[in-house]
């Protein structure tokens, strides 16, 4: 195999260059390592933190002076409640009642009940308190003609009421000059002495009494009872002008009575 001269020349040149590089390798400067940064000064580390939120305290109210409370005795010997008897009607009130003919002598009937209650004495809390309902008939001269007990809640109250009726002073004649028949309650309780009447409606006609149209006595022929026709009679101006003035106590008692009958239990204070 023949080798050309050009190839040998190139080979010798390459070997010579490698020898030259290797011989000069020890004299070339080596690369310097990068310089390290200077050390930081030793400075103390300070950490800044936000201040805590301020807590607002509620304003302190000045202490109110203590109100002394009455001492409540829980002993069984505590005094019971009582209510003195109301005053008897005056001579002027009896004179006005003797001329009042409206509503079955309404004013005379009220004065008669107040006269009885005033003579019964003080009502004391306990088993003797109660209410008695009587059917009363008064003669035209004002004397008691007939007395009947319909019901009672206290035998003591009935006894005192009957004793007071027996000791009644002379009373004026009835307003109509006829026997006066009515039913009344006598209250012998430590919180009530009776209800004052209201006079402003006395000129109006009485509503018709209810009558069951299907009621039958078992003997007579059966027939439907006819209710009386309603009356539209307007009150007379003269009658209304002669009515007595209602007192504040009477108006308050009437409102309380209506509230008890028609009011709602949601309106009762707790």
């Amino acid at each position: 195999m023949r080798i050309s001269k050009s190839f040998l020349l190139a080979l010798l040149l390459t070997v010579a260059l490698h020898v030259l590089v290797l011989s000069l390798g020890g004299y070339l400067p080596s690369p310097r390592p990068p310089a390290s940064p200077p050390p930081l000064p030793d400075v103390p580390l300070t950490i800044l933190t936000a201040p805590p939120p301020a807590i607002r305290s509620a304003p302190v109210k000045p202490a109110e002076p203590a109100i002394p409370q009455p001492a409540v005795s829980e002993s069984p010997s505590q005094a019971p409640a009582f209510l003195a008897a109301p005053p008897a009607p005056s001579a002027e009130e009896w004179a006005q009642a003797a001329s009042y003919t409206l509503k079955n002598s309404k004013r005379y009937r009220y004065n008669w009940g107040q006269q009885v209650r005033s003579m019964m004495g003080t009502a004391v809390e306990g088993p003797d308190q109660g209410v008695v309902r009587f059917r009363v008939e008064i003669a035209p001269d004002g004397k008691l003609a007939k007395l009947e007990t319909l019901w009672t809640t206290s035998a003591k109250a009935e006894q005192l009421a009957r004793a007071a009726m027996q000791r009644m002073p002379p009373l004026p004649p009835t307003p109509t000059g006829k026997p006066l028949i009515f039913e009344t309650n006598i209250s012998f309780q430590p919180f009530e002495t009776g209800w004052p009447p209201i006079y402003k409606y006395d000129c109006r006609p009485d509503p018709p009494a209810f009558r069951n149209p299907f009621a039958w006595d078992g003997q007579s022929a059966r027939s439907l009872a006819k209710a009386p026709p309603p009356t539209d009679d307007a009150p007379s101006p003269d009658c209304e002008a002669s009515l007595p003035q209602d007192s504040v106590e009477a108006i308050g008692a009437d409102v309380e009575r209506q509230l008890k009958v028609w009011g709602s239990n949601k309106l009762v204070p707790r």
Side-chain angles (χ1 to χ4, degrees):
M1 182 178 69
R2 297 175 66 183
I3 299 174
S4 62
K5 294 180 179 181
S6 59
F7 175 78
L8 292 176
L9 182 60
L11 180 61
L12 291 174
L13 181 60
T14 302
V15 172
L17 290 176
H18 279 81
V19 172
L20 179 62
V21 170
L22 291 176
S23 61
L24 296 177
Y27 299 97
L28 293 178
S30 61
R32 296 182 179 179
S36 61
L40 296 177
D42 190 7
V43 179
L45 182 62
T46 303
I47 300 176
L48 300 179
T49 58
I55 301 176
R56 298 181 179 180
S57 59
V60 180
K61 296 182 179 180
E64 298 181 358
I67 301 176
Q69 299 293 337
V72 179
S73 176
E74 299 181 356
S75 61
S77 61
Q78 184 178 3
F82 65 91
L83 181 64
S90 62
E92 180 182 1
E93 291 175 339
W94 271 116
Q96 295 173 351
S99 60
Y100 196 85
T101 59
L102 299 176
K103 300 297 181 182
N104 193 28
S105 304
K106 181 178 185 178
R107 200 163 189 174
Y108 193 101
R109 293 186 285 115
Y110 173 72
N111 282 9
W112 190 89
Q114 288 297 100
Q115 182 72 42
V116 174
R117 177 62 186 89
S118 66
M119 300 174 63
M120 293 174 62
T122 301
V124 182
E125 178 186 9
D128 293 338
Q129 69 178 22
V131 182
V132 191
R133 185 167 183 85
F134 293 105
R135 185 188 302 275
V136 184
E137 179 179 349
I138 300 178
D141 59 355
K143 295 182 180 180
L144 181 63
K146 187 177 180 181
L147 180 66
E148 178 185 356
T149 302
L150 300 180
W151 52 262
T152 179
T153 61
S154 170
K156 182 65 174 181
E158 180 184 3
Q159 177 186 359
L160 293 176
R162 285 183 171 272
M165 295 174 191
Q166 297 298 329
R167 297 182 286 108
M168 289 276 281
L171 302 180
T174 59
T176 59
K178 300 178 181 180
L180 180 59
I181 302 174
F182 61 95
E183 295 180 5
T184 183
N185 289 349
I186 304 297
S187 175
F188 188 67
Q189 302 175 100
F191 55 85
E192 180 188 342
T193 58
W195 298 92
I198 293 289
Y199 301 104
K200 60 182 179 181
Y201 304 118
D202 289 357
C203 290
R204 302 180 183 180
D206 294 331
F210 173 77
R211 182 179 180 183
N212 188 357
F214 304 99
W216 183 48
D217 58 4
Q219 298 178 357
S220 59
R222 293 190 176 184
S223 62
L224 293 179
K226 296 182 179 181
T231 58
D232 297 333
D233 298 337
S236 172
D238 297 337
C239 176
E240 291 186 345
S242 62
L243 292 177
Q245 186 70 25
D246 293 331
S247 62
V248 176
E249 293 78 12
I251 296 175
D254 182 68
V255 171
E256 182 180 355
R257 181 167 57 248
Q258 296 295 333
L259 183 61
K260 287 182 178 180
V261 175
W262 304 107
S264 171
N265 59 351
K266 296 181 180 179
L267 302 178
V268 179
R270 301 184 183 274

